[in-house]
Amino acid sequence: MKNSKIAHEPLFHITKRPPMSKLSAFSVRIGAFFAALILSALFVLITIGIDPWTFIKTMIKGAFGVPGAEKADSFSAFWSIFSKDSYFWITLKTACKLLLIAVALAPAFKMRFWNIGAEGQLLAGGMGAAFLMFNYGTLPVYILLPLMLIVSIVCGAVWAVIPAVFKAKFNTNETLFTLMMNYIAMKIVDYFYNLWRGPMSALGMINPSTNAGWLRSIWSGKEAAWFRNEDLIFMFIIILITVLMYLYLRFTKQGYEIAVVGDSQNTAKYAGISVNKVMLRTMAISGAICGLCGFLCVSSQSHTITSTLGNGYGFTAIIVAWLSKFNTFVMVGVSILIVALENGSMLMANTYGDLGFSPASAKIIVGVMLLLIIGCEFFINYKLAFRSRAAKKEEVTE
Amino acid sequence: MIIWIQKAIGFAALITLAALGELLTEKSGGLNLGTPGTMCVGAATGFIAAFRYCQAVEEPSVIIILILTLLVSFLSAMLIGLIYSFFTVTLRINQNVVGLVLTIFGCGLAEFLSIYFVQSSSGNVRCDPANRVFTALIPWVSEKLGVVSDLLFSYGFMLYVTIAIAVGMHLVFNKTRIGLNLRAVGESPATADAAGINVSRYKYAASCIGSGITGLAGVYCVMEFKSGAWATADISTIQAFGWMAVALVIFAVWKPLNLLWGSLVFGICYWAYQYLPGMLGIKVSTDLAQMLPYIITIIVLIIVSLGKKKENLGPASLGMTYFREER
């Protein structure tokens, strides 16, 4: 009788931990990161037989290095990482894109509104920009670009507000609604893509000769060369929005309302906050920033539109936003980390493709990393209390 | 018209099977957005098993192909389900986040495995013996009954397996104690816990078996829908099917039997772009016509939320993490 009782006592039980200090939480995450790195290195060693040292070196080079350069120790070589096609620059640029989407999602998630439609909102914004670019390329620059900007933002916002309206009115499940909106946006983009390319096999860039609608068309040519850099403006706008969003969430009344609605809708109602209004407003902001991201991608990066404009970052950004606990500055680090992993393993795939390291292996490495990093959240929020020997003895003597 | 319905039924069975797996998981309160990834893994491993076996043996035996393919894809998909439930149930991580990561991971894994074991980064690889097994028709009824044969009996055995699983699941949910407990776990884990039901065990079992079934849908897709041909490019197609399956569960308001006709609606919409314009004599863009299933899902989502009937809203604790010590 007693024996069976002891057998049912679990080996350990889980309790909620008082908030961990920032430093120890950070070290848990770093620990998880290195564990994932070791796991990936092992995976590479076993599957294609590349030693861990080469693996890590290639990963770092692919993320932050310069193509071709073997050593980056001299001064000029150091500066070459800022050249337009260095891996470092590409990582920064791509991380900015991921960051902007994550920043867009932050207010929605803080409100506990599962907006997984960022991909679609981005496409809607990009589509709006591309539409003007394609059909009204003859408009003067100072009308066309602002118009594109406004239309993109409106398209993105509308794409996000539609699910929010139904959520507010009828409590329709927003996770699936926004997911479906992604696919509708993709199909609309596909439709225009096929319409515009006509008999050609691919659309190519829009307005390649006139550069109408390209961000670079705003320069007259008299500015300093380093200033005429589309990437730089792209990044500058994104950093600006990151800072603004931090201030918005942290120090404004609206940001506070979002936090209250996220924590408890009933409290919000009791405090006289109109939950529906906050929901609609926040989703409009969220979608507008996604739309802005679509505009930036079309106008300053790809100069064309495809349904893969978002590169799946609408989904990856969800993970970024969640990992960062909606703190936009943490998102900077997380975005760079994820993009660095992706680019590092892409270089692995390009270098060792003949050994069997495919882009798919790169996806696995990113997947393992993400799993371990999100898994370690458990150890930050909970602790395991093992059944102690003393307690066991007590029970036996009981 | 008949070909249209035939194709729609073939497609419907595939989506239904995937949706059944997802439905089982959702009944236990877990919204598994890793379904597309799970499907890809099931498809890849199942195909690899069949392909390797057919290569290794001169005269592949039908039964071994069958068992090997289904078992391997079921078990590997179950493994993904195990990861999902470990992260969401034991580690209590947000379900949406885990699901999305698993979709990224699963698609990568499927691609990696197929390149690693089948050695083809581009182009199709075929496994005809397995295709023949999966598309084998029932001897007599498939030929002699005219239209009835064409409509009802012109498919491989997986269609009937799917229907059987749907009916079985309906019975388990509504007629057995296990089903009652499972629904209790999905509706209110705290209540179920107080009633002495082992919540974690039910959640684990539901996600693992559910993922396994979803994996079978993946291999079904390769062997019948894609006629036994496999290319890494198919992974994105399967991924889209996976999302449709997630949508279908809602469309069917979480009832297994509704999946059967719900998926038929999806199937007809899916193939509409090929047949409808010709029948009506109009020209519609393929891309716009392909939007139809998604638009219908949204409409159903709205209608379901409009009707305030409680049993139509799905498991009450869907998407939420249960922690016993939390109020």
Side-chain angles (χ1 to χ4, degrees), chain A residues 73-329:
Chain A
D73 47 7
S74 71
F75 191 69
S76 64
F78 174 75
W79 281 106
S80 70
I81 64 170
F82 291 104
S83 72
K84 256 194 128 159
D85 44 22
S86 78
Y87 295 128
F88 176 72
W89 192 249
I90 293 170
T91 300
L92 271 192
K93 217 163 68 177
T94 323
C96 275
K97 180 172 158 190
L98 182 59
L99 170 68
L100 185 58
I101 307 173
V103 166
L105 292 175
F109 283 1
K110 196 161 187 184
M111 194 177 63
R112 299 263 170 97
F113 187 103
W114 278 100
N115 175 16
I116 57 177
E119 190 92 9
Q121 289 146 23
L122 180 135
L123 279 176
M127 190 64 234
F131 187 81
L132 287 175
M133 220 162 136
F134 191 85
N135 288 322
Y136 300 97
T138 49
L139 285 175
V141 178
Y142 290 102
I143 298 175
L144 181 60
L145 272 178
L147 203 62
M148 277 166 66
L149 178 68
I150 293 166
V151 168
S152 300
I153 289 178
V154 169
C155 285
V158 165
W159 217 248
V161 163
I162 295 170
V165 168
F166 285 98
K167 170 84 176 172
K169 287 261 179 240
F170 311 120
N171 199 21
T172 311
N173 184 323
E174 79 277 13
T175 316
L176 292 145
F177 202 135
T178 48
L179 182 69
M180 293 298 119
M181 292 296 277
N182 286 339
Y183 283 92
I184 295 177
M186 274 178 211
K187 289 294 170 198
I188 291 177
V189 170
D190 275 340
Y191 170 72
F192 280 105
Y193 181 86
N194 290 329
L195 189 73
W196 289 346
R197 85 184 153 90
M200 276 172 318
S201 64
L203 179 59
M205 289 189 185
I206 302 173
N207 305 335
S209 52
T210 59
N211 286 0
W214 294 24
L215 200 57
R216 70 176 63 158
S217 62
I218 54 171
W219 291 292
S220 56
K222 276 180 240 152
E223 294 87 353
W226 66 269
F227 185 74
R228 273 183 278 133
N229 186 335
E230 283 182 318
D231 296 341
L232 221 55
I233 296 230
F234 176 69
M235 289 185 199
F236 176 74
I237 295 175
I238 290 173
I239 306 261
L240 185 72
I241 289 177
T242 308
V243 174
L244 287 179
M245 178 56 77
Y246 180 81
L247 299 176
Y248 175 74
L249 287 176
R250 190 85 186 246
F251 295 113
T252 65
K253 180 166 166 262
Q254 297 191 357
Y256 182 68
E257 284 175 349
I258 290 173
V260 176
V261 171
D263 275 343
S264 158
Q265 294 210 355
N266 288 333
T267 312
K269 276 176 202 153
Y270 187 68
I273 298 172
S274 162
V275 174
N276 288 351
K277 202 177 117 195
V278 173
M279 197 180 283
L280 291 178
R281 188 178 63 206
T282 311
M283 275 306 280
I285 292 171
S286 187
I289 299 177
C290 284
L292 171 70
C293 187
F295 164 75
L296 288 175
C297 288
V298 166
S299 175
S300 80
Q301 301 292 317
S302 69
H303 306 124
T304 185
I305 183 110
T306 60
S307 54
T308 52
L309 182 72
N311 194 16
Y313 279 0
F315 295 107
T316 316
I318 296 167
I319 300 158
V320 175
W322 187 81
L323 274 178
S324 319
K325 298 276 175 292
F326 323 124
N327 182 331
T328 53
F329 290 133

Side-chain angles (χ1 to χ4, degrees), chain A residues 16 114 172 176 183 194, chain B residues 94 111 243 250 287 305 326:
Chain A
K16 211 153 196 166
W114 278 100
T172 311
L176 292 145
Y183 283 92
N194 290 329
Chain B
N94 184 293
E111 208 178 320
W243 291 122
I250 322 261
D287 297 308
S305 60
E326 204 165 61

Side-chain angles (χ1 to χ4, degrees), chain A residues 27-57:
Chain A
S27 49
V28 168
R29 292 193 182 107
I30 291 290
F33 172 72
F34 279 108
L37 207 59
I38 291 167
L39 215 63
S40 314
L42 269 179
F43 166 74
V44 171
L45 184 65
I46 292 165
T47 52
I48 55 170
I50 291 175
D51 62 284
W53 177 235
T54 319
F55 166 67
I56 289 177
K57 232 167 49 186

Side-chain angles (χ1 to χ4, degrees), chain B residues 11-322:
Chain B
F11 178 82
L14 157 69
I15 300 278
T16 308
L17 195 58
L20 278 170
E22 173 70 11
L23 176 64
L24 186 59
T25 313
E26 289 193 16
K27 275 284 176 190
S28 75
L31 182 63
N32 188 354
L33 293 182
T35 299
T38 316
M39 240 173 123
C40 292
V41 170
T45 52
F47 180 80
I48 290 165
F51 181 78
R52 275 300 177 102
Y53 172 72
C54 294
Q55 256 188 346
V57 187
E58 290 263 308
E59 293 270 315
S61 123
V62 170
I63 298 186
I64 295 184
I65 288 187
L66 203 63
I67 295 177
L68 201 67
T69 314
L70 295 183
L71 201 68
V72 166
S73 72
F74 189 83
L75 288 180
S76 55
M78 223 169 140
L79 221 59
I80 301 283
L82 194 67
I83 299 177
Y84 173 79
S85 37
F86 177 71
F87 273 81
T88 57
V89 179
T90 307
L91 297 188
R92 302 186 172 85
I93 312 281
N94 184 293
Q95 291 177 356
N96 293 350
V97 174
V98 176
L100 289 172
V101 173
L102 279 180
T103 290
I104 296 174
F105 177 69
C107 293
L109 187 66
E111 208 178 320
F112 170 77
L113 288 176
S114 53
I115 291 171
Y116 197 74
F117 286 106
V118 186
Q119 296 293 344
S120 109
S121 46
S122 60
N124 275 329
V125 190
R126 301 194 58 85
C127 184
D128 290 321
N131 179 28
R132 279 197 293 277
V133 175
F134 274 83
T135 49
L137 303 176
I138 307 166
W140 184 78
V141 279
S142 308
E143 292 146 21
K144 301 285 162 60
L145 296 176
V147 183
V148 180
S149 299
D150 283 345
L151 276 185
L152 296 180
F153 297 108
S154 59
Y155 318 97
F157 70 96
M158 283 299 274
L159 174 80
Y160 311 105
V161 172
T162 304
I163 294 174
I165 293 179
V167 173
M169 218 179 252
H170 172 78
L171 293 177
V172 169
F173 284 159
N174 295 310
K175 304 280 180 213
T176 65
R177 176 157 288 274
I178 294 177
L180 183 67
N181 289 351
L182 183 70
R183 281 187 293 144
V185 168
E187 292 295 340
S188 167
T191 316
D193 202 0
I197 299 169
N198 190 334
V199 174
S200 305
R201 192 180 292 167
Y202 269 92
K203 283 189 175 228
Y204 262 92
S207 336
C208 288
I209 297 172
S211 294
I213 295 174
T214 306
L216 288 186
V219 83
Y220 179 26
C221 178
V222 179
M223 293 302 181
E224 192 165 339
F225 196 75
K226 296 263 173 214
S227 353
W230 171 257
T232 44
D234 289 341
I235 287 177
S236 58
T237 317
I238 299 181
Q239 203 179 346
F241 288 173
W243 291 122
M244 268 191 216
V246 175
L248 180 62
V249 176
I250 322 261
F251 187 90
V253 292
W254 292 272
K255 291 200 176 78
L257 293 183
N258 284 0
L259 285 177
L260 294 177
W261 64 262
S263 63
L264 201 57
V265 176
F266 269 53
I268 288 172
C269 293
Y270 185 80
W271 288 111
Y273 74 91
Q274 234 180 42
Y275 300 100
L276 195 62
M279 276 169 60
L280 297 177
I282 46 167
K283 246 180 101 72
V284 182
S285 149
T286 314
D287 297 308
L288 293 185
Q290 281 175 347
M291 264 164 38
L292 223 56
Y294 306 112
I295 293 178
I296 289 183
T297 308
I298 289 181
I299 293 171
V300 171
L301 261 177
I302 296 168
I303 293 172
V304 166
S305 60
L306 269 179
K308 301 277 183 213
K309 268 165 74 184
K310 233 184 172 172
E311 62 261 37
N312 280 350
L313 287 178
S317 80
L318 187 64
M320 285 180 229
T321 310
Y322 172 60

